[in-house]
Amino acid sequence: EAGVAQSPRYKIIEKRQSVAFWCNPISGHATLYWYQQILGQGPKLLIQFQNNGVVDDSQLPKDRFSAERLKGVDSTLKIQPAKLEDSAVYLCASSGPSRGPGGYTFGSGTRLTVV
Amino acid sequence: SQQGEEDPQALSIQEGENATMNCSYKTSINNLQWYRQNSGRGLVHLILIRSNEREKHSGRLRVTLDTSKKSSSLLITASRAADTASYFCATDAWGAQKLVFGQGTRLTINP
């Protein structure tokens, strides 16, 4: 079974530029999550989707971050404009039938560096 | 917000010794999970303990859960250099269907 796919793997941008990350969850997983992990910290949930609806986006900085999950499958997370403090690893995860051992399956993440 | 608080933030021990990490959380949970993360890599699921369980074993790992104190511990016995990594506890609260992570413990095993 394929895992959660994320791209790109790495991204370096200058502050005030825009960037987008893509996630393809495990087939059939209704719930999709985006986490932000700043170096030295634990992952922080940014947004949770159930199918194509938002369940929780309480920690998403909505003035610069946006996310969508069209058709309830793939998802895109966008930052516009980026700030230095957005440098982090962005992890996508999904849950649903055929879940991972903890109920959640994580992608390998996108490492963003803002300079 | 981070629900889990982990202690210690960093731990350095000699190979062969046991490593113990603690996690405290704030709300009622369905289960608590431990993950490992090697530098620059993804999260690896280690073990899950449900709220009605008190202790669970998996190989060299032993996890305890005290729901009255809202705390958990992860014990790694006979540590190896390959155990060097960051370890995170994550709580799965009733009805929330999401994981909330702690800040993690950075474990270093010295050969």
Side-chain angles (χ1 to χ4, degrees), chain A residues 4-7 21-25 32-34 73-77 92-93:
Chain A
V4 174
Q6 290 188 247
S7 68
F21 313 127
W22 174 81
C23 173
N24 185 14
L32 184 147
Y33 313 82
W34 282 102
V73 182
D74 294 8
S75 177
T76 302
L77 176 69
C92 180

Side-chain angles (χ1 to χ4, degrees), chain A residues 6 21 24 30 37 41 44 71-72 80 86 95 99 106:
Chain A
Q6 290 188 247
F21 313 127
N24 185 14
Q37 186 177 20
Q41 299 182 17
K44 180 181 80 171
K71 302 179 182 178
Q80 180 179 11
D86 298 332
S95 69
R99 301 180 296 183
F106 284 84

Side-chain angles (χ1 to χ4, degrees), chain B residues 48-102:
Chain B
L48 178 154
I49 186 164
R50 302 188 188 285
S51 59
N52 61 352
E53 298 176 312
R54 292 297 167 258
E55 187 171 313
K56 203 161 183 181
H57 297 254
S58 177
R60 295 184 296 112
L61 305 180
R62 172 178 170 253
V63 169
T64 62
L65 179 65
D66 186 336
T67 53
S68 66
K69 295 181 179 179
K70 290 186 168 57
S71 66
S72 174
S73 67
L74 171 67
L75 168 68
I76 304 174
T77 60
S79 63
R80 305 167 181 170
D83 295 329
T84 294
S86 290
Y87 292 80
F88 298 94
C89 68
T91 54
D92 193 349
W94 286 106
Q97 201 183 346
K98 62 186 175 186
L99 283 180
V100 178
F101 286 84

Side-chain angles (χ1 to χ4, degrees), chain A residues 31-107:
Chain A
T31 311
L32 184 147
Y33 313 82
W34 282 102
Y35 285 84
Q36 179 194 56
Q37 186 177 20
I38 293 173
L39 184 64
Q41 299 182 17
K44 180 181 80 171
L45 180 67
L46 292 177
I47 189 166
Q48 174 185 359
F49 291 96
Q50 180 77 15
N51 296 310
N52 60 350
V54 175
V55 175
D56 181 359
D57 63 356
S58 58
Q59 297 195 86
L60 186 73
K62 299 179 186 63
D63 58 333
R64 298 183 300 106
F65 286 64
S66 64
E68 59 183 11
R69 192 183 182 197
L70 299 176
K71 302 179 182 178
V73 182
D74 294 8
S75 177
T76 302
L77 176 69
K78 297 179 181 178
I79 307 175
Q80 180 179 11
K83 294 184 176 181
L84 297 177
E85 58 260 36
D86 298 332
S87 293
V89 175
Y90 291 84
L91 295 164
C92 180
S94 67
S95 69
S98 303
R99 301 180 296 183
Y104 302 83
T105 305
F106 284 84

Side-chain angles (χ1 to χ4, degrees), chain B:
Chain B
S1 62
Q2 305 296 129
Q3 166 156 240
E5 296 294 331
E6 295 180 64
D7 170 59
Q9 291 187 352
L11 178 62
S12 181
I13 61 174
Q14 295 299 120
E15 194 168 18
E17 294 180 338
N18 296 340
T20 300
M21 289 158 270
N22 302 296
C23 168
S24 61
Y25 57 93
K26 298 175 184 174
T27 62
S28 295
I29 61 171
N30 179 23
N31 64 70
L32 184 145
Q33 305 179 26
W34 287 89
Y35 285 80
R36 184 184 72 226
Q37 187 177 45
N38 292 82
S39 179
R41 303 285 182 89
L43 291 164
V44 175
H45 180 266
L46 294 177
I47 195 165
L48 178 154
I49 186 164
R50 302 188 188 285
S51 59
N52 61 352
E53 298 176 312
R54 292 297 167 258
E55 187 171 313
K56 203 161 183 181
H57 297 254
S58 177
R60 295 184 296 112
L61 305 180
R62 172 178 170 253
V63 169
T64 62
L65 179 65
D66 186 336
T67 53
S68 66
K69 295 181 179 179
K70 290 186 168 57
S71 66
S72 174
S73 67
L74 171 67
L75 168 68
I76 304 174
T77 60
S79 63
R80 305 167 181 170
D83 295 329
T84 294
S86 290
Y87 292 80
F88 298 94
C89 68
T91 54
D92 193 349
W94 286 106
Q97 201 183 346
K98 62 186 175 186
L99 283 180
V100 178
F101 286 84
Q103 295 286 14
T105 294
R106 291 190 310 279
L107 175 65
T108 302
I109 308 299
N110 302 303

